[in-house]
Amino acid sequence: MPAQDAAHVLSVDSSALPPHRFSEKAFQTLDSLSAEVIGEVIPNLENYSGRWHPNGFMVFQLGTNTDLGTLRLHIWPNSFREMSEKANADTIHDHAWHLSSKILAGVYRDELYDVSEVSSQISEEERAQQGLLRVFRVNYDPNLPDSLVTDGTFARPILREHRNVSSGGHHFIEAGV
């Protein structure tokens, strides 16, 4: 399976399933696979294709489910994180697909935002004063490392919800959130 997320998006349109059906099916699948991932995959990560995502975590491709899309293991290190020069630890982003996770260790934290894009015709000083963020998109090129690119657009984030999910719990983000 290709290691690029572009292949993930093309493999299955997970957003075609209603969010509640997707998360229900994904949680069942993840629960059934978690013991194998902990017992067989994690101790043998050198046998799996892994890469750094531009937002600072490791991604290991585990396979594809015909209904759900790509099955991946994400590892978020506590200390060292390999990040794109344009990324930072507080990156706000969305996905073009539903995303479900089972937390195998530690605590997963995220924040959900309402985001409105605003004119890119302002100075850097005005951007900083208004608390605006630059909008970046992940560029997937099978011949290059994934990278973050911007067209100069800015966005205003408004915090909607802060979430913590402990080890053993599930996490879901609907496509486009």
Side-chain angles (χ1 to χ4, degrees), residues 113-150:
Y113 289 85
D114 291 320
V115 177
S116 58
E117 291 190 6
V118 297
S119 171
S120 59
Q121 304 302 316
I122 61 174
S123 70
E124 176 61 23
E125 184 178 332
E126 289 173 299
R127 182 201 66 78
Q129 287 174 348
Q130 294 181 36
L132 302 176
L133 302 175
R134 288 186 188 87
V135 175
F136 290 87
R137 309 226 188 293
V138 179
N139 182 40
Y140 301 108
D141 182 328
N143 301 312
L144 299 170
D146 296 349
S147 62
L148 296 174
V149 296
T150 184

PDB file of all heavy atoms in Angstrom, residues 113-150:
ATOM      1  N   TYR A 113     -12.451  23.598  16.560  1.00  0.00           N
ATOM      2  CA  TYR A 113     -12.593  25.025  16.291  1.00  0.00           C
ATOM      3  C   TYR A 113     -13.617  25.267  15.196  1.00  0.00           C
ATOM      4  O   TYR A 113     -13.768  24.464  14.278  1.00  0.00           O
ATOM      5  CB  TYR A 113     -11.264  25.617  15.798  1.00  0.00           C
ATOM      6  CG  TYR A 113     -10.210  25.715  16.867  1.00  0.00           C
ATOM      7  CD1 TYR A 113      -9.393  24.644  17.166  1.00  0.00           C
ATOM      8  CD2 TYR A 113     -10.037  26.901  17.577  1.00  0.00           C
ATOM      9  CE1 TYR A 113      -8.414  24.739  18.142  1.00  0.00           C
ATOM     10  CE2 TYR A 113      -9.065  27.013  18.554  1.00  0.00           C
ATOM     11  CZ  TYR A 113      -8.253  25.923  18.836  1.00  0.00           C
ATOM     12  OH  TYR A 113      -7.299  26.021  19.804  1.00  0.00           O
ATOM     13  N   ASP A 114     -14.275  26.392  15.279  1.00  0.00           N
ATOM     14  CA  ASP A 114     -14.977  26.959  14.141  1.00  0.00           C
ATOM     15  C   ASP A 114     -13.939  27.874  13.500  1.00  0.00           C
ATOM     16  O   ASP A 114     -13.257  28.636  14.199  1.00  0.00           O
ATOM     17  CB  ASP A 114     -16.208  27.748  14.577  1.00  0.00           C
ATOM     18  CG  ASP A 114     -17.293  26.834  15.137  1.00  0.00           C
ATOM     19  OD1 ASP A 114     -17.501  25.746  14.571  1.00  0.00           O
ATOM     20  OD2 ASP A 114     -17.915  27.225  16.144  1.00  0.00           O
ATOM     21  N   VAL A 115     -13.798  27.790  12.195  1.00  0.00           N
ATOM     22  CA  VAL A 115     -12.765  28.553  11.499  1.00  0.00           C
ATOM     23  C   VAL A 115     -13.401  29.316  10.355  1.00  0.00           C
ATOM     24  O   VAL A 115     -14.147  28.756   9.557  1.00  0.00           O
ATOM     25  CB  VAL A 115     -11.664  27.611  10.944  1.00  0.00           C
ATOM     26  CG1 VAL A 115     -10.623  28.386  10.167  1.00  0.00           C
ATOM     27  CG2 VAL A 115     -11.020  26.826  12.079  1.00  0.00           C
ATOM     28  N   SER A 116     -13.107  30.611  10.281  1.00  0.00           N
ATOM     29  CA  SER A 116     -13.574  31.394   9.145  1.00  0.00           C
ATOM     30  C   SER A 116     -12.356  32.000   8.454  1.00  0.00           C
ATOM     31  O   SER A 116     -11.497  32.601   9.103  1.00  0.00           O
ATOM     32  CB  SER A 116     -14.547  32.488   9.592  1.00  0.00           C
ATOM     33  OG  SER A 116     -13.938  33.333  10.535  1.00  0.00           O
ATOM     34  N   GLU A 117     -12.284  31.785   7.149  1.00  0.00           N
ATOM     35  CA  GLU A 117     -11.184  32.340   6.381  1.00  0.00           C
ATOM     36  C   GLU A 117     -11.432  33.824   6.150  1.00  0.00           C
ATOM     37  O   GLU A 117     -12.570  34.264   6.019  1.00  0.00           O
ATOM     38  CB  GLU A 117     -11.010  31.583   5.064  1.00  0.00           C
ATOM     39  CG  GLU A 117     -10.509  30.175   5.281  1.00  0.00           C
ATOM     40  CD  GLU A 117     -10.089  29.462   4.009  1.00  0.00           C
ATOM     41  OE1 GLU A 117     -10.067  30.079   2.938  1.00  0.00           O
ATOM     42  OE2 GLU A 117      -9.781  28.270   4.111  1.00  0.00           O
ATOM     43  N   VAL A 118     -10.347  34.599   6.151  1.00  0.00           N
ATOM     44  CA  VAL A 118     -10.434  36.045   5.959  1.00  0.00           C
ATOM     45  C   VAL A 118      -9.446  36.468   4.879  1.00  0.00           C
ATOM     46  O   VAL A 118      -8.602  35.685   4.451  1.00  0.00           O
ATOM     47  CB  VAL A 118     -10.158  36.814   7.274  1.00  0.00           C
ATOM     48  CG1 VAL A 118     -11.200  36.477   8.316  1.00  0.00           C
ATOM     49  CG2 VAL A 118      -8.780  36.504   7.807  1.00  0.00           C
ATOM     50  N   SER A 119      -9.527  37.681   4.484  1.00  0.00           N
ATOM     51  CA  SER A 119      -8.699  38.209   3.406  1.00  0.00           C
ATOM     52  C   SER A 119      -7.211  38.005   3.672  1.00  0.00           C
ATOM     53  O   SER A 119      -6.748  38.102   4.801  1.00  0.00           O
ATOM     54  CB  SER A 119      -8.965  39.710   3.243  1.00  0.00           C
ATOM     55  OG  SER A 119      -8.025  40.281   2.356  1.00  0.00           O
ATOM     56  N   SER A 120      -6.494  37.720   2.611  1.00  0.00           N
ATOM     57  CA  SER A 120      -5.041  37.603   2.723  1.00  0.00           C
ATOM     58  C   SER A 120      -4.374  38.934   2.417  1.00  0.00           C
ATOM     59  O   SER A 120      -3.158  39.028   2.345  1.00  0.00           O
ATOM     60  CB  SER A 120      -4.530  36.525   1.769  1.00  0.00           C
ATOM     61  OG  SER A 120      -4.880  36.859   0.435  1.00  0.00           O
ATOM     62  N   GLN A 121      -5.169  39.984   2.257  1.00  0.00           N
ATOM     63  CA  GLN A 121      -4.643  41.297   1.879  1.00  0.00           C
ATOM     64  C   GLN A 121      -4.346  42.165   3.097  1.00  0.00           C
ATOM     65  O   GLN A 121      -4.644  43.357   3.111  1.00  0.00           O
ATOM     66  CB  GLN A 121      -5.647  42.007   0.957  1.00  0.00           C
ATOM     67  CG  GLN A 121      -6.007  41.222  -0.281  1.00  0.00           C
ATOM     68  CD  GLN A 121      -4.781  40.895  -1.126  1.00  0.00           C
ATOM     69  OE1 GLN A 121      -3.930  41.746  -1.347  1.00  0.00           O
ATOM     70  NE2 GLN A 121      -4.684  39.654  -1.577  1.00  0.00           N
ATOM     71  N   ILE A 122      -3.776  41.585   4.133  1.00  0.00           N
ATOM     72  CA  ILE A 122      -3.396  42.352   5.307  1.00  0.00           C
ATOM     73  C   ILE A 122      -1.919  42.107   5.593  1.00  0.00           C
ATOM     74  O   ILE A 122      -1.345  41.117   5.150  1.00  0.00           O
ATOM     75  CB  ILE A 122      -4.259  42.007   6.543  1.00  0.00           C
ATOM     76  CG1 ILE A 122      -4.112  40.528   6.916  1.00  0.00           C
ATOM     77  CG2 ILE A 122      -5.711  42.371   6.323  1.00  0.00           C
ATOM     78  CD1 ILE A 122      -4.807  40.154   8.197  1.00  0.00           C
ATOM     79  N   SER A 123      -1.337  42.970   6.375  1.00  0.00           N
ATOM     80  CA  SER A 123       0.085  42.849   6.694  1.00  0.00           C
ATOM     81  C   SER A 123       0.297  41.773   7.755  1.00  0.00           C
ATOM     82  O   SER A 123      -0.637  41.386   8.469  1.00  0.00           O
ATOM     83  CB  SER A 123       0.627  44.174   7.203  1.00  0.00           C
ATOM     84  OG  SER A 123       0.097  44.457   8.495  1.00  0.00           O
ATOM     85  N   GLU A 124       1.538  41.352   7.897  1.00  0.00           N
ATOM     86  CA  GLU A 124       1.896  40.379   8.938  1.00  0.00           C
ATOM     87  C   GLU A 124       1.605  40.952  10.314  1.00  0.00           C
ATOM     88  O   GLU A 124       1.124  40.246  11.201  1.00  0.00           O
ATOM     89  CB  GLU A 124       3.378  40.003   8.799  1.00  0.00           C
ATOM     90  CG  GLU A 124       3.888  39.073   9.870  1.00  0.00           C
ATOM     91  CD  GLU A 124       3.181  37.724   9.902  1.00  0.00           C
ATOM     92  OE1 GLU A 124       2.611  37.304   8.872  1.00  0.00           O
ATOM     93  OE2 GLU A 124       3.186  37.086  10.967  1.00  0.00           O
ATOM     94  N   GLU A 125       1.843  42.237  10.494  1.00  0.00           N
ATOM     95  CA  GLU A 125       1.573  42.886  11.776  1.00  0.00           C
ATOM     96  C   GLU A 125       0.076  42.839  12.102  1.00  0.00           C
ATOM     97  O   GLU A 125      -0.324  42.512  13.224  1.00  0.00           O
ATOM     98  CB  GLU A 125       2.058  44.332  11.747  1.00  0.00           C
ATOM     99  CG  GLU A 125       1.894  45.048  13.071  1.00  0.00           C
ATOM    100  CD  GLU A 125       2.431  46.481  13.018  1.00  0.00           C
ATOM    101  OE1 GLU A 125       3.348  46.748  12.220  1.00  0.00           O
ATOM    102  OE2 GLU A 125       1.911  47.300  13.786  1.00  0.00           O
ATOM    103  N   GLU A 126      -0.775  43.154  11.116  1.00  0.00           N
ATOM    104  CA  GLU A 126      -2.231  43.100  11.323  1.00  0.00           C
ATOM    105  C   GLU A 126      -2.677  41.666  11.616  1.00  0.00           C
ATOM    106  O   GLU A 126      -3.531  41.441  12.475  1.00  0.00           O
ATOM    107  CB  GLU A 126      -2.966  43.615  10.082  1.00  0.00           C
ATOM    108  CG  GLU A 126      -2.834  45.109   9.865  1.00  0.00           C
ATOM    109  CD  GLU A 126      -3.439  45.526   8.539  1.00  0.00           C
ATOM    110  OE1 GLU A 126      -2.962  45.036   7.485  1.00  0.00           O
ATOM    111  OE2 GLU A 126      -4.401  46.322   8.565  1.00  0.00           O
ATOM    112  N   ARG A 127      -2.100  40.707  10.904  1.00  0.00           N
ATOM    113  CA  ARG A 127      -2.434  39.297  11.125  1.00  0.00           C
ATOM    114  C   ARG A 127      -2.171  38.920  12.575  1.00  0.00           C
ATOM    115  O   ARG A 127      -3.028  38.335  13.253  1.00  0.00           O
ATOM    116  CB  ARG A 127      -1.638  38.387  10.193  1.00  0.00           C
ATOM    117  CG  ARG A 127      -2.013  36.908  10.377  1.00  0.00           C
ATOM    118  CD  ARG A 127      -0.939  35.965   9.887  1.00  0.00           C
ATOM    119  NE  ARG A 127       0.292  36.022  10.651  1.00  0.00           N
ATOM    120  CZ  ARG A 127       0.480  35.452  11.836  1.00  0.00           C
ATOM    121  NH1 ARG A 127      -0.482  34.785  12.438  1.00  0.00           N
ATOM    122  NH2 ARG A 127       1.640  35.547  12.459  1.00  0.00           N
ATOM    123  N   ALA A 128      -0.990  39.262  13.079  1.00  0.00           N
ATOM    124  CA  ALA A 128      -0.618  38.926  14.453  1.00  0.00           C
ATOM    125  C   ALA A 128      -1.519  39.649  15.459  1.00  0.00           C
ATOM    126  O   ALA A 128      -1.966  39.046  16.440  1.00  0.00           O
ATOM    127  CB  ALA A 128       0.848  39.267  14.690  1.00  0.00           C
ATOM    128  N   GLN A 129      -1.808  40.922  15.231  1.00  0.00           N
ATOM    129  CA  GLN A 129      -2.650  41.705  16.144  1.00  0.00           C
ATOM    130  C   GLN A 129      -4.061  41.129  16.234  1.00  0.00           C
ATOM    131  O   GLN A 129      -4.685  41.146  17.292  1.00  0.00           O
ATOM    132  CB  GLN A 129      -2.716  43.166  15.695  1.00  0.00           C
ATOM    133  CG  GLN A 129      -1.452  43.940  15.940  1.00  0.00           C
ATOM    134  CD  GLN A 129      -1.513  45.337  15.343  1.00  0.00           C
ATOM    135  OE1 GLN A 129      -2.398  45.668  14.552  1.00  0.00           O
ATOM    136  NE2 GLN A 129      -0.561  46.184  15.720  1.00  0.00           N
ATOM    137  N   GLN A 130      -4.571  40.626  15.114  1.00  0.00           N
ATOM    138  CA  GLN A 130      -5.933  40.087  15.076  1.00  0.00           C
ATOM    139  C   GLN A 130      -6.010  38.620  15.496  1.00  0.00           C
ATOM    140  O   GLN A 130      -7.086  38.039  15.552  1.00  0.00           O
ATOM    141  CB  GLN A 130      -6.521  40.239  13.671  1.00  0.00           C
ATOM    142  CG  GLN A 130      -6.723  41.682  13.262  1.00  0.00           C
ATOM    143  CD  GLN A 130      -7.320  41.791  11.876  1.00  0.00           C
ATOM    144  OE1 GLN A 130      -8.153  40.972  11.485  1.00  0.00           O
ATOM    145  NE2 GLN A 130      -6.902  42.795  11.115  1.00  0.00           N
ATOM    146  N   GLY A 131      -4.863  38.004  15.781  1.00  0.00           N
ATOM    147  CA  GLY A 131      -4.851  36.601  16.180  1.00  0.00           C
ATOM    148  C   GLY A 131      -5.221  35.652  15.051  1.00  0.00           C
ATOM    149  O   GLY A 131      -5.744  34.562  15.292  1.00  0.00           O
ATOM    150  N   LEU A 132      -4.940  36.050  13.827  1.00  0.00           N
ATOM    151  CA  LEU A 132      -5.247  35.213  12.669  1.00  0.00           C
ATOM    152  C   LEU A 132      -4.123  34.209  12.435  1.00  0.00           C
ATOM    153  O   LEU A 132      -2.959  34.466  12.757  1.00  0.00           O
ATOM    154  CB  LEU A 132      -5.442  36.073  11.418  1.00  0.00           C
ATOM    155  CG  LEU A 132      -6.537  37.131  11.491  1.00  0.00           C
ATOM    156  CD1 LEU A 132      -6.550  37.969  10.217  1.00  0.00           C
ATOM    157  CD2 LEU A 132      -7.892  36.480  11.724  1.00  0.00           C
ATOM    158  N   LEU A 133      -4.477  33.090  11.854  1.00  0.00           N
ATOM    159  CA  LEU A 133      -3.502  32.058  11.512  1.00  0.00           C
ATOM    160  C   LEU A 133      -3.388  31.952  10.001  1.00  0.00           C
ATOM    161  O   LEU A 133      -4.347  32.208   9.280  1.00  0.00           O
ATOM    162  CB  LEU A 133      -3.947  30.703  12.078  1.00  0.00           C
ATOM    163  CG  LEU A 133      -4.150  30.643  13.593  1.00  0.00           C
ATOM    164  CD1 LEU A 133      -4.703  29.273  13.986  1.00  0.00           C
ATOM    165  CD2 LEU A 133      -2.857  30.944  14.321  1.00  0.00           C
ATOM    166  N   ARG A 134      -2.227  31.538   9.529  1.00  0.00           N
ATOM    167  CA  ARG A 134      -2.068  31.247   8.104  1.00  0.00           C
ATOM    168  C   ARG A 134      -2.728  29.905   7.810  1.00  0.00           C
ATOM    169  O   ARG A 134      -2.717  29.007   8.638  1.00  0.00           O
ATOM    170  CB  ARG A 134      -0.592  31.176   7.734  1.00  0.00           C
ATOM    171  CG  ARG A 134       0.088  32.498   7.728  1.00  0.00           C
ATOM    172  CD  ARG A 134       1.520  32.328   7.190  1.00  0.00           C
ATOM    173  NE  ARG A 134       2.227  33.561   7.356  1.00  0.00           N
ATOM    174  CZ  ARG A 134       2.890  33.910   8.462  1.00  0.00           C
ATOM    175  NH1 ARG A 134       2.942  33.093   9.475  1.00  0.00           N
ATOM    176  NH2 ARG A 134       3.488  35.069   8.538  1.00  0.00           N
ATOM    177  N   VAL A 135      -3.297  29.769   6.615  1.00  0.00           N
ATOM    178  CA  VAL A 135      -3.908  28.508   6.198  1.00  0.00           C
ATOM    179  C   VAL A 135      -2.889  27.743   5.356  1.00  0.00           C
ATOM    180  O   VAL A 135      -2.369  28.267   4.374  1.00  0.00           O
ATOM    181  CB  VAL A 135      -5.202  28.756   5.385  1.00  0.00           C
ATOM    182  CG1 VAL A 135      -5.756  27.442   4.856  1.00  0.00           C
ATOM    183  CG2 VAL A 135      -6.233  29.473   6.244  1.00  0.00           C
ATOM    184  N   PHE A 136      -2.595  26.517   5.789  1.00  0.00           N
ATOM    185  CA  PHE A 136      -1.705  25.620   5.064  1.00  0.00           C
ATOM    186  C   PHE A 136      -2.473  24.371   4.673  1.00  0.00           C
ATOM    187  O   PHE A 136      -3.412  23.966   5.352  1.00  0.00           O
ATOM    188  CB  PHE A 136      -0.518  25.195   5.940  1.00  0.00           C
ATOM    189  CG  PHE A 136       0.457  26.297   6.210  1.00  0.00           C
ATOM    190  CD1 PHE A 136       0.280  27.152   7.281  1.00  0.00           C
ATOM    191  CD2 PHE A 136       1.564  26.471   5.398  1.00  0.00           C
ATOM    192  CE1 PHE A 136       1.182  28.173   7.546  1.00  0.00           C
ATOM    193  CE2 PHE A 136       2.478  27.483   5.644  1.00  0.00           C
ATOM    194  CZ  PHE A 136       2.280  28.336   6.721  1.00  0.00           C
ATOM    195  N   ARG A 137      -2.069  23.765   3.608  1.00  0.00           N
ATOM    196  CA  ARG A 137      -2.615  22.484   3.184  1.00  0.00           C
ATOM    197  C   ARG A 137      -1.451  21.515   3.060  1.00  0.00           C
ATOM    198  O   ARG A 137      -0.342  21.913   2.711  1.00  0.00           O
ATOM    199  CB  ARG A 137      -3.314  22.626   1.841  1.00  0.00           C
ATOM    200  CG  ARG A 137      -4.313  23.795   1.842  1.00  0.00           C
ATOM    201  CD  ARG A 137      -5.637  23.450   1.241  1.00  0.00           C
ATOM    202  NE  ARG A 137      -6.531  24.565   1.068  1.00  0.00           N
ATOM    203  CZ  ARG A 137      -7.112  25.295   2.006  1.00  0.00           C
ATOM    204  NH1 ARG A 137      -6.837  25.087   3.241  1.00  0.00           N
ATOM    205  NH2 ARG A 137      -7.966  26.251   1.737  1.00  0.00           N
ATOM    206  N   VAL A 138      -1.706  20.231   3.348  1.00  0.00           N
ATOM    207  CA  VAL A 138      -0.649  19.230   3.186  1.00  0.00           C
ATOM    208  C   VAL A 138      -0.541  18.905   1.707  1.00  0.00           C
ATOM    209  O   VAL A 138      -1.538  18.621   1.050  1.00  0.00           O
ATOM    210  CB  VAL A 138      -0.944  17.957   4.010  1.00  0.00           C
ATOM    211  CG1 VAL A 138       0.156  16.925   3.807  1.00  0.00           C
ATOM    212  CG2 VAL A 138      -1.076  18.303   5.492  1.00  0.00           C
ATOM    213  N   ASN A 139       0.660  18.984   1.186  1.00  0.00           N
ATOM    214  CA  ASN A 139       0.927  18.643  -0.206  1.00  0.00           C
ATOM    215  C   ASN A 139       1.463  17.213  -0.244  1.00  0.00           C
ATOM    216  O   ASN A 139       2.511  16.925   0.325  1.00  0.00           O
ATOM    217  CB  ASN A 139       1.960  19.614  -0.798  1.00  0.00           C
ATOM    218  CG  ASN A 139       2.221  19.319  -2.259  1.00  0.00           C
ATOM    219  OD1 ASN A 139       1.306  19.015  -3.006  1.00  0.00           O
ATOM    220  ND2 ASN A 139       3.474  19.411  -2.657  1.00  0.00           N
ATOM    221  N   TYR A 140       0.703  16.323  -0.874  1.00  0.00           N
ATOM    222  CA  TYR A 140       1.106  14.927  -1.005  1.00  0.00           C
ATOM    223  C   TYR A 140       1.650  14.704  -2.402  1.00  0.00           C
ATOM    224  O   TYR A 140       0.937  14.853  -3.378  1.00  0.00           O
ATOM    225  CB  TYR A 140      -0.085  14.002  -0.770  1.00  0.00           C
ATOM    226  CG  TYR A 140      -0.714  14.166   0.597  1.00  0.00           C
ATOM    227  CD1 TYR A 140      -1.946  14.778   0.740  1.00  0.00           C
ATOM    228  CD2 TYR A 140      -0.077  13.692   1.736  1.00  0.00           C
ATOM    229  CE1 TYR A 140      -2.528  14.920   1.989  1.00  0.00           C
ATOM    230  CE2 TYR A 140      -0.645  13.837   2.988  1.00  0.00           C
ATOM    231  CZ  TYR A 140      -1.872  14.442   3.107  1.00  0.00           C
ATOM    232  OH  TYR A 140      -2.440  14.579   4.343  1.00  0.00           O
ATOM    233  N   ASP A 141       2.906  14.351  -2.488  1.00  0.00           N
ATOM    234  CA  ASP A 141       3.544  14.031  -3.754  1.00  0.00           C
ATOM    235  C   ASP A 141       4.276  12.721  -3.533  1.00  0.00           C
ATOM    236  O   ASP A 141       5.159  12.645  -2.674  1.00  0.00           O
ATOM    237  CB  ASP A 141       4.521  15.142  -4.154  1.00  0.00           C
ATOM    238  CG  ASP A 141       5.186  14.900  -5.496  1.00  0.00           C
ATOM    239  OD1 ASP A 141       5.413  13.721  -5.861  1.00  0.00           O
ATOM    240  OD2 ASP A 141       5.480  15.892  -6.175  1.00  0.00           O
ATOM    241  N   PRO A 142       3.917  11.663  -4.285  1.00  0.00           N
ATOM    242  CA  PRO A 142       4.542  10.357  -4.037  1.00  0.00           C
ATOM    243  C   PRO A 142       6.059  10.364  -4.217  1.00  0.00           C
ATOM    244  O   PRO A 142       6.736   9.476  -3.730  1.00  0.00           O
ATOM    245  CB  PRO A 142       3.867   9.426  -5.042  1.00  0.00           C
ATOM    246  CG  PRO A 142       3.077  10.288  -5.954  1.00  0.00           C
ATOM    247  CD  PRO A 142       2.945  11.639  -5.350  1.00  0.00           C
ATOM    248  N   ASN A 143       6.595  11.374  -4.887  1.00  0.00           N
ATOM    249  CA  ASN A 143       8.039  11.428  -5.126  1.00  0.00           C
ATOM    250  C   ASN A 143       8.784  12.327  -4.150  1.00  0.00           C
ATOM    251  O   ASN A 143      10.001  12.453  -4.228  1.00  0.00           O
ATOM    252  CB  ASN A 143       8.301  11.913  -6.559  1.00  0.00           C
ATOM    253  CG  ASN A 143       7.645  11.000  -7.569  1.00  0.00           C
ATOM    254  OD1 ASN A 143       7.773   9.788  -7.492  1.00  0.00           O
ATOM    255  ND2 ASN A 143       6.900  11.586  -8.491  1.00  0.00           N
ATOM    256  N   LEU A 144       8.043  12.991  -3.237  1.00  0.00           N
ATOM    257  CA  LEU A 144       8.649  13.916  -2.289  1.00  0.00           C
ATOM    258  C   LEU A 144       8.081  13.684  -0.894  1.00  0.00           C
ATOM    259  O   LEU A 144       6.989  13.132  -0.759  1.00  0.00           O
ATOM    260  CB  LEU A 144       8.349  15.366  -2.697  1.00  0.00           C
ATOM    261  CG  LEU A 144       8.868  15.836  -4.050  1.00  0.00           C
ATOM    262  CD1 LEU A 144       8.275  17.198  -4.396  1.00  0.00           C
ATOM    263  CD2 LEU A 144      10.387  15.913  -4.023  1.00  0.00           C
ATOM    264  N   PRO A 145       8.783  14.171   0.144  1.00  0.00           N
ATOM    265  CA  PRO A 145       8.181  14.113   1.481  1.00  0.00           C
ATOM    266  C   PRO A 145       6.930  14.990   1.521  1.00  0.00           C
ATOM    267  O   PRO A 145       6.848  16.003   0.812  1.00  0.00           O
ATOM    268  CB  PRO A 145       9.272  14.688   2.387  1.00  0.00           C
ATOM    269  CG  PRO A 145      10.539  14.600   1.600  1.00  0.00           C
ATOM    270  CD  PRO A 145      10.143  14.687   0.149  1.00  0.00           C
ATOM    271  N   ASP A 146       5.953  14.616   2.343  1.00  0.00           N
ATOM    272  CA  ASP A 146       4.775  15.463   2.528  1.00  0.00           C
ATOM    273  C   ASP A 146       5.236  16.835   3.008  1.00  0.00           C
ATOM    274  O   ASP A 146       6.214  16.949   3.748  1.00  0.00           O
ATOM    275  CB  ASP A 146       3.831  14.860   3.573  1.00  0.00           C
ATOM    276  CG  ASP A 146       3.247  13.527   3.153  1.00  0.00           C
ATOM    277  OD1 ASP A 146       3.395  13.159   1.981  1.00  0.00           O
ATOM    278  OD2 ASP A 146       2.653  12.868   4.018  1.00  0.00           O
ATOM    279  N   SER A 147       4.550  17.875   2.574  1.00  0.00           N
ATOM    280  CA  SER A 147       4.927  19.223   2.985  1.00  0.00           C
ATOM    281  C   SER A 147       3.679  20.069   3.181  1.00  0.00           C
ATOM    282  O   SER A 147       2.598  19.721   2.724  1.00  0.00           O
ATOM    283  CB  SER A 147       5.839  19.869   1.934  1.00  0.00           C
ATOM    284  OG  SER A 147       5.150  19.989   0.700  1.00  0.00           O
ATOM    285  N   LEU A 148       3.850  21.172   3.882  1.00  0.00           N
ATOM    286  CA  LEU A 148       2.765  22.122   4.101  1.00  0.00           C
ATOM    287  C   LEU A 148       2.966  23.305   3.171  1.00  0.00           C
ATOM    288  O   LEU A 148       4.065  23.844   3.071  1.00  0.00           O
ATOM    289  CB  LEU A 148       2.747  22.590   5.557  1.00  0.00           C
ATOM    290  CG  LEU A 148       2.456  21.510   6.590  1.00  0.00           C
ATOM    291  CD1 LEU A 148       2.622  22.061   7.997  1.00  0.00           C
ATOM    292  CD2 LEU A 148       1.067  20.944   6.406  1.00  0.00           C
ATOM    293  N   VAL A 149       1.884  23.704   2.479  1.00  0.00           N
ATOM    294  CA  VAL A 149       1.951  24.824   1.541  1.00  0.00           C
ATOM    295  C   VAL A 149       0.814  25.791   1.855  1.00  0.00           C
ATOM    296  O   VAL A 149      -0.227  25.397   2.372  1.00  0.00           O
ATOM    297  CB  VAL A 149       1.860  24.359   0.066  1.00  0.00           C
ATOM    298  CG1 VAL A 149       3.058  23.496  -0.299  1.00  0.00           C
ATOM    299  CG2 VAL A 149       0.580  23.589  -0.180  1.00  0.00           C
ATOM    300  N   THR A 150       1.018  27.057   1.552  1.00  0.00           N
ATOM    301  CA  THR A 150      -0.013  28.062   1.774  1.00  0.00           C
ATOM    302  C   THR A 150      -0.206  28.904   0.525  1.00  0.00           C
ATOM    303  O   THR A 150       0.730  29.080  -0.253  1.00  0.00           O
ATOM    304  CB  THR A 150       0.328  28.978   2.968  1.00  0.00           C
ATOM    305  OG1 THR A 150      -0.766  29.868   3.191  1.00  0.00           O
ATOM    306  CG2 THR A 150       1.611  29.750   2.751  1.00  0.00           C
TER     307      THR A 150
END
